[in-house]
Amino acid sequence: MTRDVIIAPSILAADFARLGEEVAAIDAAGADWIHCDVMDGHFVPNISFGADVIRAIRPVTAKPLDVHLMIAPADPYLEAFAKAGADIMTVHAEAGAHLDRSLQAIRALGKQAGVSLCPATPESAIEYVLDRIDLVLVMTVNPGFGGQSFLASQIEKIRRIRNMISGRPIRLEVDGGITRDNAAAVAAAGADALVAGSAVFRGGDYASNIAAIRAAAEVPKPRQGSAQRAGETMLIR
Ligand code: DX5
Ligand code: ZN
């Protein structure tokens, strides 16, 4: 079965001392993708983990590893993350001078290419790379930390990017402060992949937390674009 909305728990909110178990637990709890937040203490003011951790969790799950690279520069490390087992590799538009080159490099490594935009970055940053990407990641907090509050200013950007994507097979992912309470609003604006860290790991019942976010996001909404017709999409699943 293919699913309308992807739920991608962020392991940034996991217990790192038991990371393998935590990945297995969110997999069993219904995660569609495993979102991996890579932070370098330079592009963002926090350090998380690198390619060795991606390699360590790769055997634990068959779900796609959705690797969000909050690092600058990104290009020198793309091959390492690809070899470590990333499926989707997302770079930030703000992280380097040559976004088009970075995206080409990701696809040349045989991976799905994503581009992320910080809250202050306008959607025009991706206008000329739309044919090079499989995913757009709209940051709904300033990247660097889990547990921050959702920025409602990004709803309009999500809506505009949904229109820019038009019929292209591109996932529109949102990341930061996503909860069961705002999932409907981001989905209605056009998001079809939702990252959630705190809202999945909080309280320990990962399955019911994931189900609640999914149920909120999958409330029927008017579909946009001709590529939404059954059988026409080639979206990442
Ligand atoms: C922020 C990260 C997010 C973060 C989400 O820089 O990219 O993926 O972990 O965590 P919550 O859902 O707690 O905001
Ligand atoms: Zn992220």
Side-chain angles (χ1 to χ4, degrees), residues 95-107:
H98 305 290
L99 177 62
D100 185 276
R101 176 180 291 145
S102 301
L103 296 167
Q104 286 192 56
I106 294 169
R107 283 192 164 172

Side-chain angles (χ1 to χ4, degrees), residues 104-195:
Q104 286 192 56
I106 294 169
R107 283 192 164 172
L109 289 162
K111 305 300 180 180
Q112 306 276 355
V115 57
S116 184
L117 302 179
C118 289
T121 303
E123 64 280 1
S124 57
I126 60 169
E127 189 173 354
Y128 295 99
V129 295
L130 284 170
D131 293 322
R132 296 215 187 279
I133 57 177
D134 305 288
L135 177 140
V136 181
L137 172 50
V138 173
M139 290 307 303
T140 43
V141 297
N142 287 290
F145 303 94
Q148 302 181 80
S149 297
F150 175 79
L151 296 172
S153 59
Q154 300 306 298
I155 293 275
E156 177 59 21
K157 192 197 288 183
I158 296 163
R159 199 172 286 123
R160 292 183 191 185
I161 292 175
R162 171 51 63 194
N163 286 333
M164 287 170 73
I165 287 172
S166 186
R168 294 177 180 83
I170 298 174
R171 281 276 176 195
L172 178 43
E173 186 174 45
V174 288
D175 183 7
I178 300 297
T179 66
R180 64 186 72 188
D181 298 323
N182 56 33
V186 292
D192 61 5
L194 277 59
V195 176

Side-chain angles (χ1 to χ4, degrees), residues 5-138:
V5 174
I6 296 287
I7 306 296
S10 167
I11 58 171
L12 192 63
D15 177 352
F16 283 2
R18 301 185 300 107
L19 189 55
E21 290 166 44
E22 292 274 71
V23 170
I26 51 173
D27 180 332
D32 297 301
W33 298 348
I34 311 298
H35 187 80
C36 306
D37 285 308
V38 177
M39 302 178 178
D40 67 353
H42 167 73
F43 177 68
V44 290
N46 193 11
I47 300 175
S48 59
F49 51 78
D52 288 344
V53 168
I54 305 298
R55 184 178 305 107
I57 64 171
R58 179 68 283 179
V60 177
T61 179
K63 303 272 172 75
L65 297 182
D66 173 30
V67 177
H68 179 190
L69 296 171
M70 288 164 274
I71 63 176
D75 292 9
Y77 304 99
L78 295 175
E79 187 174 359
F81 283 99
K83 285 186 171 160
D87 296 286
I88 306 160
M89 305 207 312
T90 296
V91 292
H92 267 263
E94 308 86 358
H98 305 290
L99 177 62
D100 185 276
R101 176 180 291 145
S102 301
L103 296 167
Q104 286 192 56
I106 294 169
R107 283 192 164 172
L109 289 162
K111 305 300 180 180
Q112 306 276 355
V115 57
S116 184
L117 302 179
C118 289
T121 303
E123 64 280 1
S124 57
I126 60 169
E127 189 173 354
Y128 295 99
V129 295
L130 284 170
D131 293 322
R132 296 215 187 279
I133 57 177
D134 305 288
L135 177 140
V136 181
L137 172 50
V138 173

Side-chain angles (χ1 to χ4, degrees), residues 204-226:
D205 187 346
Y206 305 163
S208 87
N209 289 344
I210 290 171
I213 297 167
R214 190 188 304 285
E218 286 185 344
V219 168
K221 56 187 184 293
R223 305 311 305 260
Q224 306 165 30
S226 58

